[in-house]
Amino acid sequence: MKRLYALTTLLLVTVVSCRAHQLDLYLDSGDVEQLIGLAARLYYVRNGRPNANAMKYVLEVPASVGALNLTWNSKSPLAYKAAVSTTDSDLVAPKLDMAHEGAVPDTRSVFAVSLPCAVGSGDADVRLSIRTSANWSSDGATGDVDVAFKKFCVDPRTNGTAVAPETGRAAPVYYERAFFYHMIAAASSLVALAVICCLTTTYRRDKARDLMIIKGFQNNEVNVFLKSALNPSGKFNRANSLPGPKAAPVKAKDLHECIVELSVQRQRVRLQNVELEGTFGRVYRGLYTDPNGKDDEVFVKTVTDQASAVQISVLLHEGLCMYGLNHKNVMTIQAVSVEQHVEPFLLYPYSNNTNLKRFLQNCKTSESISYTLTTREIIDMTLQIISGMQYLHKSRHLHRDVAARNCLVDPELKIQIADNALSRDLFPGDYHCLGDNKNRPIKWMAVESLEHKKFSTASDIWSFGVLLWELLTLCQQPYADIDPFEMSAYLQDGFRLTQPVNCPDELFTVMACCWALAPNERPTFSQLSVFMNEFNNQLVKFV
């Protein structure tokens, strides 16, 4: 059973036959939120009814968590016998802080399962077994409870790294309060009751062992993940999406007309702090004074005096490409100041927001923001990006560079999709030249865009899959070990980014479908919106 299917169903109590008793056994919301990001109790037994799904689910416990606190009580007299065992006693020595047999308390009481790690790195399965009976001598046990854990340990001598069992390479170990902690999945099984499933086959090759090849991209096995997005033939229905060859953005005005409409006097703009800086470009925070004397905070994109005429022209074209669009999740240009013999200013509204890539990278450092991202927050951010991209595509606008670096986020985690003006200069490590003197976001691009320079709504979907991977890895570099010149052949061979260590299976399924080799086998943003809303609703129900 897939782990994320367990996440979305483990709180749906499955009733199995058992003799009547009023036992409650659960993991409290604090521990549940710490381990899997849901602020809800995880009931193994509720009012005497075992939750079969919860007991089948293997709860993963990171090295930073040394004990789990379970709460229990019984409204009727009930005896118990408890035992805890492990598959690797040399690595983990689990203990119960209560007697191994006795009577279940009649009031809510807490007992701990200690999971101390010995010296060494790895993981071990731990099982807590509790047998209960109203009267051992007369009618035997009335119920068995088996709770499964997987405890991870990190040898302190390795300075916070653990050895990935499949690769033998040192991999960083970090835990997010709201995310799953797990090792890289070797293979996924098909879930019969899930509306989302993905049949994947993985194999490794020596020079990129941390990447995965997903079979089935050439057929529809991967596309059964979203029933609501399929037509009766089993194909994705893209009738409401823009056809690839005709998906070019529609511009009502040329560049000169846009500049005339947006032009403001340079004296009304005051530059303040530098937010981002590259070789020839800068992004400032500043103030714009309108004709009524009111000051508005703005972002100002501009170039240095070292910039060439070509670079200035590219800045203006890319900065004005989204002019005229109006959506809460899309940031568009507000004004332009172009005067002779000085660098142009592009003004954007500022609402205490910052670059999404820098924001996510800061979440990994000790100087990170004052809160930790939760699974629900990640899903909400994803839904906002989908909403903005839906609007762009309905407006017949292709973004062509969907990535975290081209999004902004505010303290309330409101997302806006921005243009890619200056991105090549501000994030040079994300762009590569393949001999044609054009820097492109190679590792975010779809196969057809790399090989034939074809862009469509489907190629934006591919890039969105990489952006989702960025959200879940806190902006690790995709395909970090692959040479840009090898990317096209690499993707054609079927290799894709591997599942992040903190990524729910169902979200990885979404990424996998976005990376289908054939453009018409990828979902649309409307279809992704249906799935992500359903997934979000499942999480909300239990918080």
Side-chain angles (χ1 to χ4, degrees):
M1 178 176 288
K2 293 175 72 176
R3 292 186 318 103
L4 224 314
Y5 170 66
L7 167 63
T8 57
T9 61
L10 58 82
L11 296 176
L12 301 177
V13 176
T14 301
V15 179
V16 298
S17 61
C18 64
R19 300 186 182 183
H21 58 282
Q22 298 297 309
L23 174 67
D24 282 341
L25 176 65
Y26 59 87
L27 197 63
D28 214 348
S29 58
D31 284 321
V32 174
E33 186 172 14
Q34 182 181 25
L35 296 174
I36 62 178
L38 293 176
R41 290 175 178 174
L42 171 53
Y43 275 91
Y44 294 102
V45 183
R46 189 170 191 173
N47 293 326
R49 295 177 176 178
N51 183 347
N53 287 318
M55 283 190 273
K56 290 179 182 177
Y57 180 70
V58 180
L59 192 63
E60 296 182 340
V61 183
S64 57
V65 177
L68 296 177
N69 299 308
L70 289 102
T71 304
W72 68 340
N73 71 286
S74 177
K75 297 177 184 177
S76 59
L78 196 65
Y80 75 88
K81 294 181 179 179
V84 61
S85 60
T86 179
T87 57
D88 191 346
S89 57
D90 293 332
L91 184 65
V92 180
K95 297 177 182 179
L96 288 174
D97 70 346
M98 66 174 185
H100 286 265
E101 62 181 88
V104 179
D106 57 1
T107 59
R108 290 183 181 177
S109 301
V110 177
F111 68 92
V113 181
S114 298
L115 301 170
C117 289
V119 177
S121 295
D123 61 84
D125 293 328
V126 178
R127 183 168 297 275
L128 169 65
S129 299
I130 301 176
R131 298 180 63 211
T132 59
S133 174
N135 189 331
W136 293 110
S137 61
S138 62
D139 59 357
T142 63
D144 291 336
V145 180
D146 288 304
V147 182
F149 310 112
K150 183 180 285 292
K151 171 65 176 177
F152 292 89
C153 294
V154 177
D155 192 336
R157 296 172 299 182
T158 62
N159 295 322
T161 62
V163 177
E166 294 183 9
T167 64
R169 296 166 49 180
V173 177
Y174 63 93
Y175 314 101
E176 294 296 307
R177 173 174 58 84
F179 290 156
F180 289 105
Y181 177 88
H182 65 83
M183 304 304 286
I184 297 175
S188 300
S189 58
L190 190 63
V191 180
L193 299 179
V195 293
I196 302 154
C197 60
C198 179
L199 182 63
T200 64
T201 304
T202 63
Y203 69 84
R204 311 255 175 200
R205 70 186 190 187
D206 289 341
K207 66 178 180 180
R209 294 183 178 180
D210 58 343
L211 295 182
M212 182 180 70
I213 181 169
I214 301 178
K215 297 291 187 181
F217 276 132
Q218 287 73 26
N219 54 44
N220 283 322
E221 288 175 347
V222 74
N223 292 341
V224 299
F225 87 104
L226 214 177
K227 289 185 178 178
S228 61
L230 301 178
N231 60 29
S233 67
K235 298 282 188 177
F236 275 114
N237 181 8
R238 301 186 66 89
N240 296 324
S241 64
L242 300 177
K246 298 180 182 179
V250 177
K251 297 188 185 303
K253 302 177 176 64
D254 62 21
L255 182 63
H256 176 72
E257 289 176 311
C258 292
I259 292 176
V260 170
E261 287 187 4
L262 290 171
S263 183
V264 297
Q265 296 175 323
R266 178 63 56 95
Q267 65 193 36
R268 295 186 180 275
V269 183
R270 300 196 304 275
L271 301 180
Q272 295 178 319
N273 301 328
V274 176
E275 293 290 309
L276 295 169
E277 186 169 11
T279 303
F280 64 85
R282 292 193 187 104
V283 178
Y284 291 89
R285 273 182 59 187
L287 292 175
Y288 168 68
T289 304
D290 66 18
N292 298 322
K294 178 185 175 183
D295 286 340
D296 292 323
E297 288 191 286
V298 292
F299 278 125
V300 181
K301 288 186 179 181
T302 187
V303 293
T304 64
D305 53 7
Q306 285 81 29
S308 66
V310 173
Q311 291 166 334
I312 293 174
S313 176
V314 170
L315 170 68
L316 291 172
H317 275 89
E318 292 181 343
L320 290 165
C321 69
M322 293 167 64
Y323 171 53
L325 300 177
N326 182 21
H327 189 274
K328 65 179 182 179
N329 297 121
V330 176
M331 173 173 279
T332 55
I333 193 166
Q334 178 176 310
V336 176
S337 175
V338 179
E339 298 182 359
Q340 290 185 345
H341 309 300
V342 293
E343 296 75 25
F345 283 179
L346 276 60
L347 277 61
Y348 300 81
Y350 173 77
S351 56
N352 200 22
N353 43 15
T354 187
N355 183 271
L356 179 58
K357 179 163 185 166
R358 295 291 176 88
F359 171 85
L360 293 171
Q361 289 174 333
N362 287 339
C363 287
K364 290 189 291 189
T365 68
S366 58
E367 298 85 15
S368 64
I369 315 163
S370 59
Y371 55 82
T372 303
L373 290 177
T374 66
T375 304
R376 282 188 58 194
E377 287 170 334
I378 289 290
I379 299 300
D380 182 66
M381 294 165 74
T382 303
L383 283 168
Q384 294 181 64
I385 295 169
I386 290 174
S387 178
M389 290 304 303
Q390 278 184 283
Y391 171 77
L392 290 180
H393 285 182
K394 287 179 181 178
S395 302
R396 303 187 65 81
H397 181 93
L398 297 181
H399 193 284
R400 300 173 186 244
D401 195 358
V402 181
R405 61 183 170 271
N406 292 322
C407 295
L408 296 170
V409 60
D410 70 12
E412 296 181 355
L413 300 185
K414 302 302 181 185
I415 300 290
Q416 287 186 303
I417 302 167
D419 57 58
N420 64 335
L422 292 183
S423 290
R424 295 174 183 82
D425 183 52
L426 300 175
F427 301 94
D430 292 351
Y431 294 85
H432 300 89
C433 178
L434 299 183
D436 54 2
N437 202 29
K438 291 183 179 180
N439 279 331
R440 292 178 288 166
I442 301 299
K443 297 181 180 182
W444 279 259
M445 293 172 65
V447 177
E448 67 273 12
S449 303
L450 282 171
E451 294 186 341
H452 308 296
K453 299 183 180 179
K454 290 183 178 180
F455 294 89
S456 65
T457 56
S459 63
D460 275 355
I461 289 287
W462 180 296
S463 301
F464 167 79
V466 183
L467 170 53
L468 182 55
W469 187 89
E470 289 185 281
L471 286 172
L472 290 160
T473 61
L474 301 180
C475 268
Q476 290 183 18
Q477 197 70 8
Y479 302 102
D481 297 333
I482 305 304
D483 189 288
F485 285 90
E486 297 182 3
M487 278 300 301
S488 179
Y490 201 73
L491 296 174
Q492 285 284 7
D493 287 345
F495 283 92
R496 301 292 186 268
L497 292 165
T498 192
Q499 182 172 357
V501 295
N502 50 17
C503 174
D505 290 345
E506 289 182 2
L507 294 188
F508 184 63
T509 301
V510 173
M511 299 181 212
C513 294
C514 293
W515 300 328
L517 197 61
N520 64 350
E521 291 184 2
R522 299 170 203 157
T524 65
F525 280 110
S526 296
Q527 293 158 354
L528 291 175
S529 178
V530 172
F531 163 70
M532 295 301 293
N533 274 296
E534 289 180 354
F535 182 68
N536 188 52
N537 290 339
Q538 291 296 324
L539 293 180
V540 171
K541 286 180 182 179
F542 309 114
V543 174

